[in-house]
Amino acid sequence: MSVLLALDVGLAALVLALAIWTIFAREVFAAVVGYVAYGLLLSIVWVRLFAVDVALTEAAIGSGVTGVLLVGAAGRMREAGNAAATEQPREPQRFWAAVLPPLGILIGIHIFWAGADEPGGAFQGGAILATMWMITMMARLTEVPPVSSVWLRLALVVSPAVFLAIGVAGVAVAIGFFAYPTGFAKPLILFIEAFMTLSIAVTLPTLVAGPPRRVPRR
Amino acid sequence: MSLVLDLLSITTIGAGAFFFFAGTMGLLRFPDALTRLHALTKADNLGLGLVVLGLLPHMASLLVALKLVAIWALVQLAGATVAQLIGRAVRRKGPAA
Protein backbone atom coordinates (compact mmCIF):
# COMPACT_ATOMS: atom_id res chain seq x y z
CA MET A 1 0.00 0.00 0.00
CA SER A 2 1.49 3.30 -1.02
CA VAL A 3 1.90 6.13 1.48
CA LEU A 4 -0.68 8.34 -0.26
CA LEU A 5 -3.28 5.59 -0.30
CA ALA A 6 -2.70 4.96 3.39
CA LEU A 7 -3.11 8.70 4.06
CA ASP A 8 -6.33 8.79 2.03
CA VAL A 9 -7.82 5.81 3.83
CA GLY A 10 -6.80 7.31 7.17
CA LEU A 11 -8.35 10.64 6.20
CA ALA A 12 -11.61 9.01 5.14
CA ALA A 13 -11.77 7.01 8.38
CA LEU A 14 -11.08 10.17 10.39
CA VAL A 15 -13.85 12.11 8.60
CA LEU A 16 -16.35 9.31 9.21
CA ALA A 17 -15.33 8.92 12.85
CA LEU A 18 -15.60 12.67 13.43
CA ALA A 19 -19.01 12.78 11.73
CA ILE A 20 -20.28 10.02 14.02
CA TRP A 21 -18.73 11.69 17.06
CA THR A 22 -20.40 15.00 16.13
CA ILE A 23 -23.80 13.33 15.96
CA PHE A 24 -23.39 11.61 19.30
CA ALA A 25 -21.71 14.49 21.14
CA ARG A 26 -23.72 15.28 24.25
CA GLU A 27 -22.94 18.95 24.54
CA VAL A 28 -24.07 21.38 21.86
CA PHE A 29 -20.85 23.38 21.85
CA ALA A 30 -18.71 20.24 21.53
CA ALA A 31 -20.84 19.12 18.59
CA VAL A 32 -20.31 22.50 16.90
CA VAL A 33 -16.54 22.27 17.36
CA GLY A 34 -16.66 18.74 15.96
CA TYR A 35 -18.68 19.96 12.99
CA VAL A 36 -16.16 22.73 12.19
CA ALA A 37 -13.24 20.29 12.38
CA TYR A 38 -15.23 17.88 10.22
CA GLY A 39 -15.67 20.61 7.60
CA LEU A 40 -11.95 21.36 7.54
CA LEU A 41 -11.08 17.66 7.16
CA LEU A 42 -13.69 17.35 4.43
CA SER A 43 -12.04 20.20 2.54
CA ILE A 44 -8.77 18.24 2.66
CA VAL A 45 -10.69 15.31 1.18
CA TRP A 46 -11.81 17.59 -1.67
CA VAL A 47 -8.19 18.65 -2.25
CA ARG A 48 -7.22 14.98 -2.46
CA LEU A 49 -9.97 14.51 -5.06
CA PHE A 50 -8.40 17.41 -7.01
CA ALA A 51 -11.52 19.54 -6.53
CA VAL A 52 -9.77 22.59 -5.10
CA ASP A 53 -12.77 24.80 -5.92
CA VAL A 54 -15.06 22.68 -3.79
CA ALA A 55 -12.41 22.51 -1.07
CA LEU A 56 -12.24 26.32 -0.89
CA THR A 57 -16.03 26.54 -0.70
CA GLU A 58 -16.27 23.83 1.94
CA ALA A 59 -13.63 25.50 4.11
CA ALA A 60 -15.17 28.96 3.75
CA ILE A 61 -18.91 28.20 3.83
CA GLY A 62 -19.29 24.68 5.21
CA SER A 63 -16.82 25.10 8.00
CA GLY A 64 -16.32 28.86 8.41
CA VAL A 65 -19.63 30.66 7.98
CA THR A 66 -21.79 27.73 9.11
CA GLY A 67 -19.46 27.30 12.07
CA VAL A 68 -19.95 30.94 13.09
CA LEU A 69 -23.73 30.55 12.73
CA LEU A 70 -23.74 27.40 14.86
CA VAL A 71 -21.44 28.84 17.54
CA GLY A 72 -23.79 31.84 17.75
CA ALA A 73 -26.81 29.55 18.02
CA ALA A 74 -25.13 27.44 20.72
CA GLY A 75 -24.24 30.61 22.63
CA ARG A 76 -27.83 31.85 22.48
CA MET A 77 -29.15 28.51 23.68
CA ARG A 78 -26.76 28.61 26.61
CA GLU A 79 -27.73 32.16 27.50
CA ALA A 80 -31.44 31.50 27.00
CA GLY A 81 -32.08 31.50 30.76
CA ASN A 82 -29.87 34.45 31.68
CA ALA A 83 -30.44 38.05 30.81
CA ALA A 84 -29.10 38.55 27.29
CA ALA A 85 -25.42 39.11 28.01
CA THR A 86 -24.19 41.41 25.29
CA GLU A 87 -20.47 40.82 25.25
CA GLN A 88 -18.18 43.71 24.63
CA PRO A 89 -15.54 42.82 22.04
CA ARG A 90 -12.13 42.53 23.60
CA GLU A 91 -8.95 44.27 22.59
CA PRO A 92 -7.30 41.39 20.64
CA GLN A 93 -10.51 40.94 18.69
CA ARG A 94 -10.53 44.60 17.68
CA PHE A 95 -6.86 44.42 16.77
CA TRP A 96 -7.44 41.38 14.57
CA ALA A 97 -10.48 43.00 12.95
CA ALA A 98 -8.39 46.05 12.13
CA VAL A 99 -5.34 44.18 10.80
CA LEU A 100 -6.86 41.37 8.76
CA PRO A 101 -9.45 43.03 6.46
CA PRO A 102 -7.00 44.92 4.20
CA LEU A 103 -5.22 41.63 3.46
CA GLY A 104 -8.42 39.62 3.36
CA ILE A 105 -10.10 41.97 0.90
CA LEU A 106 -7.06 41.74 -1.35
CA ILE A 107 -7.07 37.93 -1.16
CA GLY A 108 -10.84 37.78 -1.71
CA ILE A 109 -10.67 39.88 -4.86
CA HIS A 110 -7.64 37.91 -6.05
CA ILE A 111 -9.49 34.61 -5.62
CA PHE A 112 -12.49 35.98 -7.49
CA TRP A 113 -10.22 37.18 -10.30
CA ALA A 114 -8.07 34.02 -10.39
CA GLY A 115 -11.29 32.00 -10.70
CA ALA A 116 -11.23 32.67 -14.43
CA ASP A 117 -8.49 30.12 -15.00
CA GLU A 118 -7.47 28.71 -11.61
CA PRO A 119 -9.38 27.42 -8.58
CA GLY A 120 -11.43 30.24 -7.14
CA GLY A 121 -14.34 32.32 -8.30
CA ALA A 122 -17.27 34.40 -7.12
CA PHE A 123 -18.41 32.13 -4.32
CA GLN A 124 -14.99 31.53 -2.81
CA GLY A 125 -13.88 35.15 -3.14
CA GLY A 126 -17.23 36.45 -1.95
CA ALA A 127 -17.09 34.24 1.12
CA ILE A 128 -13.69 35.66 2.07
CA LEU A 129 -14.93 39.23 1.61
CA ALA A 130 -17.99 38.32 3.68
CA THR A 131 -15.78 37.01 6.47
CA MET A 132 -13.82 40.26 6.55
CA TRP A 133 -17.03 42.21 7.03
CA MET A 134 -18.21 39.74 9.65
CA ILE A 135 -15.13 40.10 11.83
CA THR A 136 -15.31 43.89 11.74
CA MET A 137 -18.99 43.69 12.73
CA MET A 138 -18.23 41.24 15.53
CA ALA A 139 -15.50 43.52 16.87
CA ARG A 140 -18.02 46.41 16.63
CA LEU A 141 -15.68 48.37 14.39
CA THR A 142 -18.59 48.68 11.98
CA GLU A 143 -22.26 48.64 12.79
CA VAL A 144 -24.59 46.04 11.31
CA PRO A 145 -26.48 47.94 8.58
CA PRO A 146 -30.22 48.29 9.16
CA VAL A 147 -32.37 46.03 6.99
CA SER A 148 -34.13 49.12 5.69
CA SER A 149 -30.88 50.38 4.15
CA VAL A 150 -31.32 50.93 0.43
CA TRP A 151 -27.76 50.06 -0.57
CA LEU A 152 -27.93 46.83 1.40
CA ARG A 153 -31.08 45.77 -0.45
CA LEU A 154 -29.58 46.81 -3.77
CA ALA A 155 -26.39 44.83 -3.10
CA LEU A 156 -28.49 41.78 -2.22
CA VAL A 157 -30.60 41.78 -5.38
CA VAL A 158 -28.13 43.16 -7.90
CA SER A 159 -26.51 39.85 -8.76
CA PRO A 160 -29.65 37.85 -9.62
CA ALA A 161 -30.93 40.93 -11.47
CA VAL A 162 -27.76 41.28 -13.56
CA PHE A 163 -27.68 37.53 -14.11
CA LEU A 164 -31.27 37.44 -15.38
CA ALA A 165 -30.90 40.60 -17.46
CA ILE A 166 -27.89 39.17 -19.30
CA GLY A 167 -29.73 35.88 -19.69
CA VAL A 168 -32.73 37.60 -21.25
CA ALA A 169 -30.49 39.77 -23.42
CA GLY A 170 -29.16 36.53 -24.89
CA VAL A 171 -32.50 36.06 -26.61
CA ALA A 172 -32.05 39.33 -28.48
CA VAL A 173 -28.33 39.40 -29.28
CA ALA A 174 -27.35 35.71 -29.31
CA ILE A 175 -29.08 32.43 -30.11
CA GLY A 176 -31.25 32.21 -27.01
CA PHE A 177 -31.84 32.54 -23.27
CA PHE A 178 -28.48 32.57 -21.47
CA ALA A 179 -26.52 32.28 -24.70
CA TYR A 180 -23.56 34.63 -24.95
CA PRO A 181 -22.62 36.30 -28.21
CA THR A 182 -19.45 34.69 -29.56
CA GLY A 183 -16.30 36.29 -28.23
CA PHE A 184 -18.07 37.94 -25.32
CA ALA A 185 -18.45 34.90 -23.08
CA LYS A 186 -15.49 35.62 -20.82
CA PRO A 187 -16.09 39.34 -20.18
CA LEU A 188 -19.79 38.70 -19.64
CA ILE A 189 -19.15 35.84 -17.20
CA LEU A 190 -16.64 37.99 -15.32
CA PHE A 191 -19.20 40.81 -15.21
CA ILE A 192 -21.84 38.47 -13.75
CA GLU A 193 -19.34 36.97 -11.31
CA ALA A 194 -18.29 40.41 -10.07
CA PHE A 195 -21.87 41.16 -9.03
CA MET A 196 -22.24 37.64 -7.63
CA THR A 197 -19.17 38.29 -5.45
CA LEU A 198 -20.75 41.48 -4.14
CA SER A 199 -24.09 39.85 -3.35
CA ILE A 200 -22.46 36.86 -1.64
CA ALA A 201 -20.21 39.18 0.38
CA VAL A 202 -23.35 40.96 1.63
CA THR A 203 -25.66 37.94 2.02
CA LEU A 204 -23.44 35.90 4.34
CA PRO A 205 -22.76 38.63 6.96
CA THR A 206 -26.47 39.53 7.10
CA LEU A 207 -27.21 35.84 7.67
CA VAL A 208 -24.75 35.77 10.55
CA ALA A 209 -25.96 39.10 11.96
CA GLY A 210 -29.40 37.48 12.30
CA PRO A 211 -32.80 39.14 12.51
CA PRO A 212 -32.87 42.88 13.28
CA ARG A 213 -33.05 43.64 17.00
CA ARG A 214 -33.98 47.29 16.98
CA VAL A 215 -36.93 48.99 15.39
CA PRO A 216 -35.67 51.38 12.72
CA ARG A 217 -36.13 55.05 13.48
CA ARG A 218 -38.69 56.74 11.32
CA MET B 1 23.66 21.14 -3.76
CA SER B 2 20.18 19.72 -4.22
CA LEU B 3 21.09 16.88 -1.86
CA VAL B 4 22.05 19.39 0.80
CA LEU B 5 18.77 21.28 0.24
CA ASP B 6 16.79 18.04 0.42
CA LEU B 7 18.49 17.06 3.66
CA LEU B 8 17.79 20.50 5.07
CA SER B 9 14.14 20.20 4.06
CA ILE B 10 13.76 16.74 5.56
CA THR B 11 15.32 17.92 8.81
CA THR B 12 13.23 21.07 9.18
CA ILE B 13 9.92 19.50 8.07
CA GLY B 14 10.60 16.55 10.36
CA ALA B 15 11.27 18.95 13.24
CA GLY B 16 8.07 20.83 12.34
CA ALA B 17 6.08 17.60 12.40
CA PHE B 18 7.61 16.85 15.80
CA PHE B 19 6.42 20.19 17.17
CA PHE B 20 2.91 19.54 15.83
CA PHE B 21 2.98 16.12 17.45
CA ALA B 22 4.21 17.54 20.74
CA GLY B 23 1.61 20.34 20.57
CA THR B 24 -1.17 17.83 19.96
CA MET B 25 0.04 15.66 22.83
CA GLY B 26 0.02 18.74 25.03
CA LEU B 27 -3.51 19.62 23.91
CA LEU B 28 -4.69 16.13 24.81
CA ARG B 29 -2.71 15.55 27.98
CA PHE B 30 -2.24 18.90 29.77
CA PRO B 31 -4.57 19.49 32.71
CA ASP B 32 -6.19 22.89 32.05
CA ALA B 33 -7.06 25.38 29.35
CA LEU B 34 -4.07 27.70 29.79
CA THR B 35 -1.40 25.00 29.61
CA ARG B 36 -3.16 23.45 26.61
CA LEU B 37 -3.16 26.84 24.93
CA HIS B 38 0.54 27.11 25.65
CA ALA B 39 1.20 23.75 23.98
CA LEU B 40 -0.94 24.59 20.97
CA THR B 41 0.72 27.93 20.22
CA LYS B 42 4.10 26.19 20.11
CA ALA B 43 2.77 23.86 17.43
CA ASP B 44 1.41 26.76 15.39
CA ASN B 45 4.42 29.02 15.63
CA LEU B 46 7.38 26.68 15.52
CA GLY B 47 5.82 23.66 13.80
CA LEU B 48 4.33 25.57 10.89
CA GLY B 49 7.36 27.86 10.74
CA LEU B 50 9.72 24.91 10.36
CA VAL B 51 7.49 23.21 7.77
CA VAL B 52 7.35 26.44 5.73
CA LEU B 53 11.11 26.87 6.09
CA GLY B 54 11.64 23.33 4.80
CA LEU B 55 9.34 23.91 1.82
CA LEU B 56 10.86 27.23 0.78
CA PRO B 57 13.83 25.87 -1.26
CA HIS B 58 11.42 23.76 -3.35
CA MET B 59 9.09 26.55 -4.43
CA ALA B 60 8.89 27.31 -8.12
CA SER B 61 9.28 31.06 -7.78
CA LEU B 62 10.00 33.77 -5.24
CA LEU B 63 6.34 34.84 -5.35
CA VAL B 64 5.09 31.41 -4.28
CA ALA B 65 7.71 31.31 -1.53
CA LEU B 66 6.56 34.72 -0.30
CA LYS B 67 2.96 33.46 -0.25
CA LEU B 68 4.04 30.59 2.01
CA VAL B 69 5.75 33.02 4.38
CA ALA B 70 2.62 35.20 4.32
CA ILE B 71 0.47 32.19 5.27
CA TRP B 72 2.78 31.50 8.19
CA ALA B 73 2.62 35.13 9.32
CA LEU B 74 -1.20 35.14 9.10
CA VAL B 75 -1.47 31.92 11.09
CA GLN B 76 0.85 33.47 13.70
CA LEU B 77 -1.39 36.51 14.01
CA ALA B 78 -4.57 34.43 14.10
CA GLY B 79 -3.08 32.06 16.67
CA ALA B 80 -1.92 34.92 18.90
CA THR B 81 -5.35 36.60 18.71
CA VAL B 82 -7.29 33.43 19.49
CA ALA B 83 -4.90 32.52 22.31
CA GLN B 84 -5.44 35.97 23.87
CA LEU B 85 -9.22 35.67 23.55
CA ILE B 86 -9.38 32.17 25.03
CA GLY B 87 -6.93 33.13 27.77
CA ARG B 88 -9.02 36.14 28.76
CA ALA B 89 -12.23 34.12 28.67
CA VAL B 90 -10.65 31.54 30.98
CA ARG B 91 -9.45 34.26 33.37
CA ARG B 92 -12.85 35.92 33.44
CA LYS B 93 -15.08 32.90 33.80
CA GLY B 94 -12.68 30.56 35.54
CA PRO B 95 -11.46 27.30 33.99
CA ALA B 96 -14.19 25.34 32.26
CA ALA B 97 -14.85 21.88 33.54
Side-chain angles (χ1 to χ4, degrees):
Chain A
M1 197 154 74
S2 74
V3 178
L4 271 181
L5 184 65
L7 275 177
D8 285 348
V9 171
L11 190 61
L14 200 59
V15 168
L16 280 176
L18 193 52
I20 293 168
W21 183 86
T22 305
I23 291 169
F24 286 104
R26 293 238 158 181
E27 215 200 321
V28 179
F29 191 70
V32 171
V33 172
Y35 178 81
V36 170
Y38 162 82
L40 289 176
L41 282 174
L42 199 59
S43 70
I44 300 177
V45 171
W46 286 119
V47 170
R48 287 296 303 143
L49 291 170
F50 301 101
V52 182
D53 269 311
V54 191
L56 279 171
T57 312
E58 174 61 38
I61 310 285
S63 197
V65 177
T66 319
V68 172
L69 274 174
L70 291 176
V71 167
R76 276 181 206 183
M77 281 171 74
R78 185 177 287 179
E79 281 166 12
N82 318 351
T86 45
E87 288 214 359
Q88 281 304 108
R90 288 175 287 277
E91 201 50 48
Q93 206 176 351
R94 295 161 62 96
F95 168 77
W96 184 232
V99 167
L100 192 64
L103 274 169
I105 290 168
L106 189 70
I107 294 170
I109 294 173
H110 169 75
I111 283 185
F112 149 69
W113 182 249
D117 32 34
E118 277 173 76
F123 213 69
Q124 293 83 353
I128 293 176
L129 294 178
T131 314
M132 294 308 120
W133 195 20
M134 273 153 55
I135 62 170
T136 51
M137 286 199 304
M138 285 170 176
R140 306 273 167 80
L141 292 183
T142 50
E143 281 299 312
V144 181
V147 283
S148 54
S149 149
V150 175
W151 74 262
L152 179 75
R153 293 180 174 195
L154 272 179
L156 286 173
V157 298
V158 70
S159 98
V162 165
F163 201 13
L164 280 176
I166 289 177
V168 172
V171 179
V173 296
I175 51 169
F177 189 52
F178 271 114
Y180 303 119
T182 38
F184 283 93
K186 184 169 175 178
L188 276 178
I189 290 173
L190 264 180
F191 188 73
I192 295 170
E193 291 248 302
F195 284 103
M196 293 273 276
T197 310
L198 176 70
S199 286
I200 290 163
V202 176
T203 305
L204 296 175
T206 42
L207 253 180
V208 169
R213 292 184 199 158
R214 283 172 300 172
V215 182
R217 254 176 276 152
R218 294 189 181 268
Chain B
M1 189 60 201
S2 88
L3 181 73
V4 178
L5 278 183
D6 279 352
L7 276 177
L8 191 79
S9 290
I10 291 169
T11 317
T12 48
I13 293 174
F18 170 75
F19 273 102
F20 271 113
F21 180 75
T24 311
M25 284 306 285
L27 178 71
L28 293 174
R29 304 294 300 172
F30 276 163
D32 60 56
L34 288 181
T35 47
R36 284 177 188 167
L37 212 53
H38 170 76
L40 211 54
T41 44
K42 297 299 157 293
D44 275 356
N45 295 357
L46 269 168
L48 188 63
L50 285 167
V51 169
V52 165
L53 192 67
L55 289 175
L56 282 184
H58 301 278
M59 290 300 110
S61 68
L62 186 65
L63 188 67
V64 185
L66 282 177
K67 278 184 191 170
L68 268 188
V69 175
I71 289 172
W72 174 66
L74 280 175
V75 171
Q76 287 261 67
L77 269 174
T81 309
V82 171
Q84 284 282 330
L85 286 174
I86 295 178
R88 282 169 192 232
V90 169
R91 218 174 96 183
R92 205 159 40 91
K93 291 181 182 162

